[in-house]
């Protein structure tokens, strides 16, 4: 039994003849427009039987000579006249209207400044500039011209010191003022260790704070450094412990650590809970959970490594002792 392959069309109507279409319905009075809208591309290019009709260009309508000049200028352009022609002369009948007070500005606008820059650059002296300074600002203007920096660079150390006003100090601030002049730093640098110490007032301590004040003076550190191990041990009162807390009190005295270090066998062993392994898979997992370090150590203990004498490289030979 053979199966015929059915050719499926890519879209409805593909590969088949086009269905005949009815012609457009055109009225008699619209037939000229219908023929015109069909276009003339097919008739002009693809139909050899139709005659080729060459229509002439319309004659431009130039009623005056100025209109003809504008037409030629718009048709040919102005690039050729700019490249090959000459400058258009300015009419003498329309000179620029300039007021007398604007003659200098008009001459600059005509290109006088650019002409000087291009043709006479560095030939004339720079234009002098005079700063307008008021009499009361002459000193500040002189400093702004670089007078201060000139003195710092070229006359440093040769100029007299600027006069300063005498500071006004009250009588009760004379000592502080003398220290601000550098007296304190001078004594520190040149007379260190030779000056007398400033007496400090005795601290005011209440009677109940005498012990704490003595400790702050270094009494505790002095006993640790000088009298350590020489003073008798102060007797401490026996702690009050209830009967039911005697075991905990003994543990706090170091009994537990002493038994761990010196007599670990006397400590009771807590029984481990029985593992609940009901299946062989559970027993295998329990054995794996114990770790494999024991088997690794046993395997290593059965072998040894013997070094070969006289061999430069680190070559070893394994030998089983079991």
């Amino acid at each position: 039994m053979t199966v015929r392959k059915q050719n499926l069309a890519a879209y409805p109507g593909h590969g088949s003849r086009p269905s005949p279409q009815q012609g457009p319905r055109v009225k008699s009075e619209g037939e000229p427009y219908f023929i015109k809208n069909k276009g003339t591309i097919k008739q002009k290019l693809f139909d050899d039987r139709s005659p080729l009709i060459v229509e002439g260009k319309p004659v431009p309508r130039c009623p005056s000579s100025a209109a003809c000049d504008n037409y030629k200028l718009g048709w040919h352009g102005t690039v050729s006249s700019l490249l090959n022609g000459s400058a258009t002369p300015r009419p003498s009948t329309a000179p620029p209207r300039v007021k007398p007070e604007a003659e200098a500005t008009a001459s600059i606008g005509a290109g006088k400044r650019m002409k000087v820059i291009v043709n006479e650059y560095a030939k004339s002296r720079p234009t002098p500039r005079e700063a307008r300074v008021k009499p009361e600002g002459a000193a500040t203007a002189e400093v702004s011209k670089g007078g201060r920096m000139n003195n710092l660079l070229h006359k440093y150390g040769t100029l007299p010191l600027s006069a300063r006003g005498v500071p006004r100090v009250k009588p009760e601030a004379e000592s502080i003022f003398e220290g601000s002049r550098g007296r304190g730093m001078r004594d520190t640098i040149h007379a260190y260790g030779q000056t007398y110490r400033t007496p400090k007032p005795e601290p005011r301590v209440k009677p109940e704070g005498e012990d704490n004040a003595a400790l702050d003076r270094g009494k505790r550190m002095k006993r640790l450094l000088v009298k350590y191990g020489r003073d008798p041990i102060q007797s401490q009162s026996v702690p009050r412990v209830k009967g039911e807390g005697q075991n905990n009190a003994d543990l706090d005295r170091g009994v537990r650590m002493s038994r761990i270090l010196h007599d670990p066998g006397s400590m009771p062993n807590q029984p481990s809970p029985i593992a609940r392994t009901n299946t062989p898979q559970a027993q295998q997992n329990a054995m794996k959970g114990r770790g494999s370090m024991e088997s690794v150590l046993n395997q290593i203990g059965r072998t040894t490594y013997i070094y070969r004498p006289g061999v430069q490289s680190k070559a070893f030979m394994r030998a089983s002792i079991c």
Side-chain angles (χ1 to χ4, degrees), residues 6 18 27 53 83 127 134 142 196 198 249 268 276 282 309:
Q6 184 178 2
K27 294 182 179 180
I53 301 175
L83 295 177
T127 304
K134 296 181 179 180
E142 187 66 25
Y196 64 92
T198 305
R276 293 177 296 177

Side-chain angles (χ1 to χ4, degrees), residues 224-242:
L224 290 175
L225 297 178
V226 181
K227 299 182 180 180
Y228 183 75
R230 299 178 182 179
D231 293 342
I233 300 175
Q234 298 179 359
S235 59
Q236 298 181 356
S237 58
V238 180
R240 294 178 296 176
V241 182
K242 295 182 180 181

Side-chain angles (χ1 to χ4, degrees), residues 46-60:
F46 303 104
D47 193 358
D48 298 336
R49 296 173 296 178
S50 59
L52 182 60
I53 301 175
V54 179
E55 297 180 356
K57 295 182 179 180
V59 180

Side-chain angles (χ1 to χ4, degrees), residues 129-156:
R129 302 177 65 181
E130 293 292 336
R132 294 179 297 176
V133 183
K134 296 181 179 180
E136 58 271 15
T140 306
E142 187 66 25
V143 172
S144 300
K145 291 179 180 179
R148 182 179 297 168
M149 186 59 66
N150 184 24
N151 294 334
L152 289 176
L153 295 178
H154 304 289
K155 300 179 182 180
Y156 184 74

Side-chain angles (χ1 to χ4, degrees), residues 177-310:
F177 175 70
E178 290 294 334
S180 301
R181 287 183 175 180
R183 180 179 177 182
M185 184 59 66
R186 182 184 62 188
D187 296 341
T188 302
I189 295 176
H190 301 288
Y192 184 75
Q194 302 176 9
T195 57
Y196 64 92
R197 294 184 178 181
T198 305
K200 296 183 179 180
E202 293 292 333
R204 294 178 297 175
V205 183
K206 294 182 180 180
E208 59 271 15
E210 286 290 342
D211 298 337
N212 294 335
L215 294 176
D216 292 336
R217 291 172 186 170
K219 182 178 179 180
R220 182 180 296 169
M221 185 59 65
K222 180 180 179 180
R223 289 177 60 186
L224 290 175
L225 297 178
V226 181
K227 299 182 180 180
Y228 183 75
R230 299 178 182 179
D231 293 342
I233 300 175
Q234 298 179 359
S235 59
Q236 298 181 356
S237 58
V238 180
R240 294 178 296 176
V241 182
K242 295 182 180 181
E244 58 272 12
Q246 189 64 37
N247 295 331
N248 294 333
D250 294 338
L251 293 176
D252 292 336
R253 291 174 183 173
V255 176
R256 179 183 298 167
M257 185 59 65
S258 177
R259 292 179 64 182
I260 291 175
L261 296 177
H262 304 290
D263 193 8
S266 63
M267 299 183 65
N269 295 326
Q270 297 180 0
S272 301
I274 300 174
R276 293 177 296 177
T277 53
N278 301 328
T279 59
Q281 292 81 0
Q283 294 178 0
Q284 187 177 3
N285 293 335
M287 292 298 294
K288 290 182 179 179
R290 294 180 181 179
S292 58
M293 186 57 65
E294 181 180 0
S295 60
V296 172
L297 294 177
N298 293 335
Q299 186 67 24
I300 292 177
R302 295 176 183 178
T303 59
T304 184
Y305 299 92
I306 301 174
Y307 179 71
R308 293 181 180 181

Side-chain angles (χ1 to χ4, degrees), residues 74-105:
W75 181 260
H76 300 286
T78 58
V79 176
S80 178
S81 60
L82 290 176
L83 295 177
N84 303 324
S86 58
T88 304
R90 291 180 176 273
S92 59
T93 57
R97 295 178 296 175
V98 182
K99 295 182 179 181
E101 59 270 16
E103 287 289 344
T105 306

Side-chain angles (χ1 to χ4, degrees), residues 162-184:
S162 302
R164 295 184 178 181
V166 180
R168 295 177 296 174
V169 182
K170 295 181 179 181
E172 58 270 16
E174 285 289 342
S175 59
I176 300 175
F177 175 70
E178 290 294 334
S180 301
R181 287 183 175 180
R183 180 179 177 182

